[in-house]
Amino acid sequence: MGEKRYRTRSQWHNTRLVLYASPFLVLTGVFTGVATNDFRILAGLLALLLVMLVVAVTRDRTTRGSYLITGETLILTRGGDRLVLPASDILDASQVDRAGARDYFNSRIVTREKGKDRIDLRKRYLRFCTVDIGLRTFTFGLGRGLTDRMPAAYQDMLLIRLREETDLLLSPEYNQDMMEAIARLIRRHNESASTEANRHQL
């Protein structure tokens, strides 16, 4: 069985949001400056805009990674981090958008892992994901709501449910193809395990 490798993708949600908002901030500063003959407000808005842009780019610029499916395992890498998942550890894979991935974390993972640190759970959940799904926000939820309405926010990612570890969110460039490849990986494992069990019964 040949190997299949998938590259991760990035979506510059926060950067786009700041760029979309910048004309309104600048125009507000210009109009206020012209009306009051005091352009300090414009200078302050430009400084704020620069800070917001730096923070947004920092949030969106993540380390790229890759996902490798072999005959028996799913191998996840991102930077110096690497995780090898045997097919027996994977329950299933399903597609989910940005808002759905965030809701799943808040309603399922946090509830299931009561008593564990939320930041640690978030890091484990997003360990190999390169798309910001809005679990951390510097706009107190206002920017998150706008970002969720962007066309790119509806592009699906992959939710990997595991038997033992915290479920993982992945962000491959070709999510449908990877989901089908993982389904075949699980099916081959189940068929092999069933054949082995029948052999022992004979």
Side-chain angles (χ1 to χ4, degrees):
M1 182 66 190
E3 299 180 343
K4 298 200 70 172
R5 185 181 297 273
Y6 300 86
R7 293 192 307 170
T8 57
R9 76 171 189 265
S10 297
Q11 293 176 338
W12 297 75
H13 291 140
N14 299 298
T15 304
R16 288 191 183 117
L17 180 61
V18 173
L19 292 177
Y20 292 160
S22 60
F24 301 100
L25 291 176
V26 172
L27 288 175
T28 299
V30 170
F31 291 147
T32 304
V34 170
T36 63
N37 201 29
D38 184 356
F39 288 90
R40 287 178 295 180
I41 292 179
L42 175 60
L45 287 175
L46 290 174
L48 175 63
L49 184 61
L50 179 60
V51 171
M52 289 173 60
L53 185 59
V54 170
V55 173
V57 170
T58 301
R59 288 278 303 277
D60 287 334
R61 186 183 62 189
T62 59
T63 303
R64 299 296 294 271
S66 67
Y67 313 130
L68 176 65
I69 298 178
T70 69
E72 300 177 351
T73 60
L74 169 62
I75 303 174
L76 312 174
T77 58
R78 183 181 176 193
D81 200 1
R82 185 172 187 267
L83 177 65
V84 178
L85 291 172
S88 58
D89 289 353
I90 305 172
L91 287 174
D92 56 39
S94 58
Q95 296 184 76
V96 62
D97 65 11
R98 183 178 187 267
R102 187 174 63 244
D103 291 342
Y104 182 85
F105 175 83
N106 290 325
S107 63
R108 297 293 298 276
I109 293 181
V110 173
T111 302
R112 186 179 65 197
E113 304 286 349
K114 286 182 178 179
K116 292 189 177 181
D117 182 70
R118 185 183 178 91
I119 295 177
D120 179 59
L121 289 174
R122 185 180 67 203
K123 287 180 179 178
R124 288 159 59 184
Y125 180 57
L126 301 175
R127 183 177 171 186
F128 297 99
C129 180
T130 55
V131 172
D132 179 12
I133 64 171
L135 285 175
R136 295 176 296 137
T137 176
F138 54 86
T139 59
F140 303 102
L142 298 177
R144 181 171 59 201
L146 293 173
T147 301
D148 284 348
R149 293 176 176 84
M150 291 182 180
Y154 294 101
Q155 295 180 10
D156 287 332
M157 291 167 280
L158 280 188
L159 175 64
I160 308 297
R161 294 196 308 138
L162 304 176
R163 296 186 187 279
E164 301 294 339
E165 298 295 328
T166 299
D167 299 336
L168 297 171
L169 187 67
L170 307 183
S171 51
E173 289 185 340
Y174 303 103
N175 53 75
Q176 177 70 34
D177 186 70
M178 184 173 175
M179 183 181 69
E180 293 173 356
I182 292 176
R184 289 193 294 270
L185 172 68
I186 297 172
R187 187 165 57 249
R188 286 195 306 270
H189 167 73
N190 291 339
E191 290 172 352
S192 176
S194 178
T195 301
E196 187 66 23
N198 290 335
R199 183 180 298 117
H200 284 301
Q201 289 177 356
L202 296 177

